[in-house]
Amino acid sequence: MEAFLVSTSIVALAEMGDKTQLLSLVLAAKFRKPLPIVAGIFVATVVNHALAGAVGNWITTVLGPDMLRWILGVSFILMAGWMLIPDKLDDDDTGNDAGRWGVFGTTLLLFFIAEMGDKTQLATVGLAAKYPLSYYWVVLGTTLGMMLANAPVVWFGDKITKKLPIKTIHRVCAVIFLVLGVAALLTKV
């Protein structure tokens, strides 16, 4: 259960102000069809995080516990620094219309691509490596975290994003990643 709660919290916080959250806002404003947008985000996230979790689980079989501890610790500390760099969404990240893919397909494709190499995907890899026996809980938690951060943006859009202190949320999340990184480095296997 710890893996689920930690995964949900970290990803929900890390996603605040992230480019995929901005993409959610753009898609909601453009298509004004929240249900297929939220469904596309959900499917893209499940697939993306399932793959990221599998990579994280695989890493635990190849690396020794001491090496893994150092890699996780340093990666979480680097993630803390990354959280302090705000994301921007380029105008080119969305097409002119939903085209042949429809709103669901367009959302799924754009969201999956935007999430590749993103801090929440890398966090999922790290969390799956940290909790190797809790793969499903990590994927479930990171997916729920994504949905908690993105679904309200799709449904309520502009009203929410104007009231959130994004810089504060980024700082809080950076501190969480920093604490996790230092804890990983100080914890002996």
Side-chain angles (χ1 to χ4, degrees), residues 84-128:
L84 299 175
I85 302 168
D87 282 327
K88 295 178 181 89
L89 182 65
D90 296 330
D91 291 335
D92 297 342
D93 285 348
T94 61
N96 291 334
D97 58 34
R100 70 176 107 151
W101 299 95
V103 175
F104 171 80
T106 300
T107 301
L108 187 143
L109 184 62
L110 289 174
F111 210 87
F112 185 84
I113 291 169
E115 192 58 16
M116 296 302 287
D118 193 57
K119 60 185 158 257
T120 50
Q121 184 192 41
L122 297 176
T124 302
V125 171
L127 288 162

Side-chain angles (χ1 to χ4, degrees), residues 131-160:
Y131 300 106
L133 301 176
S134 300
Y135 167 79
Y136 293 106
W137 288 113
V138 168
V139 172
L140 228 95
T142 58
T143 300
L144 178 60
M146 280 296 249
M147 298 313 295
L148 287 172
N150 288 296
V153 170
V154 173
W155 293 103
F156 304 111
D158 223 22
K159 294 174 190 169
I160 291 175

Side-chain angles (χ1 to χ4, degrees), residues 17-184:
D18 189 73
K19 71 177 175 271
T20 47
Q21 191 179 47
L22 297 173
L23 178 60
S24 298
L25 183 61
V26 168
L27 291 167
K30 181 177 185 105
F31 297 124
R32 301 192 186 282
K33 293 183 180 179
L35 197 54
I37 294 169
V38 170
I41 291 169
F42 177 75
V43 172
T45 301
V46 168
V47 173
N48 194 295
H49 288 200
L51 293 171
V55 168
N57 254 352
W58 172 77
I59 286 172
T60 63
T61 65
V62 202
L63 300 175
D66 202 42
M67 176 61 87
L68 183 62
R69 177 175 62 89
W70 278 97
I71 290 171
L72 285 175
V74 170
S75 67
F76 278 141
I77 291 169
L78 291 173
M79 194 77 65
W82 193 2
M83 284 302 307
L84 299 175
I85 302 168
D87 282 327
K88 295 178 181 89
L89 182 65
D90 296 330
D91 291 335
D92 297 342
D93 285 348
T94 61
N96 291 334
D97 58 34
R100 70 176 107 151
W101 299 95
V103 175
F104 171 80
T106 300
T107 301
L108 187 143
L109 184 62
L110 289 174
F111 210 87
F112 185 84
I113 291 169
E115 192 58 16
M116 296 302 287
D118 193 57
K119 60 185 158 257
T120 50
Q121 184 192 41
L122 297 176
T124 302
V125 171
L127 288 162
K130 180 174 174 53
Y131 300 106
L133 301 176
S134 300
Y135 167 79
Y136 293 106
W137 288 113
V138 168
V139 172
L140 228 95
T142 58
T143 300
L144 178 60
M146 280 296 249
M147 298 313 295
L148 287 172
N150 288 296
V153 170
V154 173
W155 293 103
F156 304 111
D158 223 22
K159 294 174 190 169
I160 291 175
T161 56
K162 286 181 182 174
K163 293 183 181 184
L164 289 176
I166 297 298
K167 283 188 177 188
T168 302
I169 291 170
H170 277 207
R171 287 181 185 132
V172 167
C173 196
V175 168
I176 291 169
F177 275 115
L178 181 63
V179 168
L180 286 171
V182 169

